[in-house]
Amino acid sequence: MSDYSLDRFRGKRILIWGYGREGKSTEDFFKAHPVAASVEVSEQKPDEIDLSPYDVVFKSPGIRLKYPTLEGFALAQSDQRGLDEVNDGRGDHFRDEWFDKLTSQTEFFISCFRDRVIGITGTKGKSTTTSLLWHVLDTCFRNRGRMDAGDNYPDTLPTNAYLVGNIGVPCLDYFDDMANGNGVAVFELSCHQLAYSRVSPHVAIFLNLYEDHLDFYGDRATYFMAKRHITEFQTERDCLYLGEDVPELTTNATVRTVTERYTGQMKLLGEHNRLNAAFVRETAIGCFGLPMEYVDRAISEFTGLSHRLEYIGSYGGIRYYDDSISTIPEASLQAIDSVPGVGTVLIGGMDRDIDYTPLVRAIPKMKDINFICMYASGERICRELTGGVDAWLPGRADARESSAPISESLKNVFYVPDLEAAVELARVVTPVDRACVLSPAAASYGYFKNFEERGDVFASLVKQ
């Protein structure tokens, strides 16, 4: 049973730790529901903060603790040597008893409404899948009265679907709507949102798992540990839709593995999006009993999201696509397979020490496609392509004007310092009637505020 009573916070001293979009939303929530004795905000670092005065601490997802998952802290609490590792030379600053005070918007919201929450996670595809599922459910719920499905249409359906989570809308913004109605939350869940969560949604979709966020989690196993919390606390009453690229896991939920691609009409590009659509179709029909013809119609109408293989336009005879959401090599390779007539790909960004072997192996085989590398990860890819030789690096004043390939054997691979120089070079080397795709296979941080800003800058440069 879901319990959305606020009595758990009545008379408590609450700290909001982190004041980004989610932190501000939490503050607004407690202003609208003044049940706590006090609500304070802190942006202090873990080695600075004192949580002793507080009863409940709403931790923002981006705050990094020594152990980045629930299991890490559990190990530390059971072993004093583990605690010493957690403290990382800081003495007893982050004390073990503080861990029990930590919660989050995600954990609180799902604990309240778990029977009406569909959670979606995965290394790639989660934003598109979440948005497509919300679109399908919202369309079918709102248009039920106008649909001529006869006895095939369910008698009882939720009235609304709410798009929340990592997609950009804090879940507590819809708390009152969920509490006062029978809507469902379609919740995109990042690894950071899941890492400390002690509750799982009723319906979980785990699309895939690839190497990512190693700068935060250290290794793939710990990253997977965070992700699998989407099903860790499910029961036999719950359902898990599982992709074939997810490592083996143990769950109490009913598992439905999705492997077949969707074959209906779609505006989205790429075979990977056909797999995303298959997850959506299975969930919409399997969980809500929606008629397949209406689900298919809604899928066919979905136009996609910004910065996900988004068509920018044709300029100078070259078609430009923004796939700035791409932060791993597998996503860039999918972009090449998805966009017709790719002539140039722009890759590179923050180097998070992920494995670029898939790209490094593929690039020499695609001699008809230009690869323009940039920033730190672009340098690393070039070094791996040349066996560690870095004589090609344009560490000189005319680097922006340089258009020489990185080696005689890799005449389709170039290095430039930044995105502006990459777009300039793409105009020169991309054949007319071919496509140029920004698909960086790297995070934007350190160079841009986020992947959205990177995509916007790319579109602006293209249109100049």
Side-chain angles (χ1 to χ4, degrees):
M1 292 292 292
S2 297
D3 174 19
Y4 41 87
S5 168
L6 299 180
D7 286 344
R8 70 187 83 179
F9 303 124
R10 196 169 301 281
K12 302 295 185 181
R13 294 163 298 174
I14 293 174
L15 178 69
I16 299 169
W17 191 10
Y19 200 55
R21 179 182 296 169
E22 191 168 297
K24 293 172 183 175
S25 168
T26 305
E27 183 182 42
D28 291 341
F29 175 81
F30 282 107
K31 285 180 179 177
H33 303 86
V35 296
S38 64
V39 178
E40 299 179 29
V41 175
S42 174
E43 294 190 275
Q44 288 181 296
K45 297 178 181 178
D47 59 351
E48 300 171 340
I49 199 162
D50 181 6
L51 302 185
S52 300
Y54 306 103
D55 301 305
V56 180
V57 178
F58 276 80
K59 174 187 168 296
S60 293
I63 294 175
R64 179 180 181 177
L65 302 178
K66 173 62 178 178
Y67 274 102
T69 65
L70 193 69
E71 290 80 1
F73 263 105
L75 172 64
Q77 287 178 311
S78 67
D79 186 344
Q80 183 58 46
R81 288 172 299 175
L83 282 174
D84 292 339
E85 292 181 19
V86 170
N87 296 327
D88 195 22
R90 298 189 298 247
D92 63 353
H93 183 80
F94 200 96
R95 299 202 295 270
D96 57 335
E97 64 265 25
W98 290 355
F99 174 68
D100 293 331
K101 300 181 178 186
L102 298 180
T103 189
S104 64
Q105 273 210 14
T106 297
E107 184 175 66
F108 171 49
F109 185 90
I110 296 178
S111 71
C112 291
F113 308 111
R114 69 175 308 277
D115 291 345
R116 292 186 282 138
V117 175
I118 305 171
I120 301 95
T121 200
T123 304
K124 56 187 176 65
K126 59 183 178 293
S127 293
T128 296
T129 304
T130 302
S131 299
L132 178 56
L133 178 57
W134 170 80
H135 168 78
V136 169
L137 297 182
D138 181 66
T139 299
C140 291
F141 295 168
R142 286 189 297 105
N143 294 332
R144 178 177 183 266
R146 296 196 294 271
M147 291 182 176
D148 182 21
D151 295 335
N152 293 326
Y153 215 90
D155 292 330
T156 303
L157 279 177
T159 53
N160 297 96
Y162 303 108
L163 180 65
V164 301
N166 193 59
I167 196 73
V169 182
C171 55
L172 288 187
D173 289 5
Y174 284 105
F175 182 92
D176 291 340
D177 297 280
M178 291 286 289
N180 297 323
N182 71 334
V184 297
V186 185
F187 202 138
E188 181 185 340
L189 290 163
S190 72
C191 50
H192 302 333
Q193 289 171 310
L194 288 166
Y196 294 102
S197 180
R198 289 157 285 203
V199 62
S200 301
H202 172 51
V203 178
I205 299 174
F206 198 157
L207 298 168
N208 48 57
L209 189 96
Y210 301 101
E211 201 171 82
D212 200 4
H213 296 291
L214 298 192
D215 57 318
F216 197 97
Y217 292 96
D219 55 53
R220 177 172 170 150
T222 307
Y223 172 54
F224 177 44
M225 195 179 294
K227 284 283 194 184
R228 76 183 186 201
H229 285 174
I230 196 169
T231 188
E232 189 81 9
F233 306 99
Q234 286 189 300
T235 71
E236 63 277 0
R237 295 178 50 251
D238 301 324
C239 183
L240 170 64
Y241 291 90
L242 196 63
E244 57 187 341
D245 289 328
V246 177
E248 184 177 351
L249 53 74
T250 301
T251 180
N252 293 317
T254 299
V255 178
R256 301 175 185 176
T257 303
V258 179
T259 58
E260 298 295 325
R261 270 62 174 170
Y262 179 67
T263 58
Q265 294 294 318
M266 288 178 59
K267 293 180 180 178
L268 297 176
L269 296 174
E271 285 299 306
H272 62 293
N273 277 324
R274 291 200 168 274
L275 185 57
N276 295 337
F279 276 96
V280 168
R281 193 174 194 266
E282 289 278 344
T283 306
I285 295 173
C287 293
F288 297 97
L290 295 171
M292 64 180 64
E293 59 266 34
Y294 294 105
V295 172
D296 291 342
R297 182 186 302 174
I299 290 174
S300 72
E301 294 169 348
F302 185 70
T303 57
L305 302 175
S306 298
H307 313 296
R308 281 92 169 165
L309 292 176
E310 180 183 9
Y311 179 59
I312 301 300
S314 180
Y315 300 89
I318 301 169
R319 291 175 289 111
Y320 290 90
Y321 290 82
D322 170 11
D323 192 40
S324 182
I325 187 66
S326 159
T327 58
I328 59 173
E330 290 84 358
S332 297
L333 292 172
Q334 286 184 343
I336 293 169
D337 290 338
S338 302
V339 175
V342 175
T344 299
V345 183
L346 312 186
I347 55 177
M350 176 187 178
D351 188 356
R352 295 178 295 170
D353 201 32
I354 63 175
D355 184 6
Y356 279 107
T357 301
L359 262 180
V360 171
R361 288 178 176 172
I363 287 173
K365 300 175 183 177
M366 295 185 281
K367 297 186 181 298
D368 62 333
I369 297 176
N370 298 302
F371 291 87
I372 302 177
C373 302
M374 53 190 170
Y375 301 119
S377 68
E379 283 192 26
R380 187 176 139 217
I381 290 168
C382 288
R383 283 196 178 94
E384 293 186 16
L385 283 167
T386 57
V389 177
D390 59 3
W392 51 269
L393 273 174
R396 54 187 187 275
D398 65 341
R400 184 172 297 279
E401 285 71 38
S402 175
S403 60
I406 64 171
S407 75
E408 283 297 316
S409 61
L410 291 164
K411 293 186 177 180
N412 63 323
V413 183
F414 306 83
Y415 178 82
V416 294
D418 55 33
L419 182 56
E420 182 178 358
V423 172
E424 289 177 6
L425 182 55
R427 290 193 180 102
V428 176
V429 300
T430 308
V432 173
D433 295 330
R434 299 281 291 277
C436 171
V437 184
L438 170 67
S439 191
S444 60
Y445 303 118
Y447 308 106
F448 301 93
K449 180 180 178 181
N450 48 41
F451 75 85
E452 292 96 339
E453 182 184 67
R454 177 170 62 186
D456 291 341
V457 170
F458 172 66
S460 177
L461 291 169
V462 163
K463 296 173 183 178
Q464 287 181 0

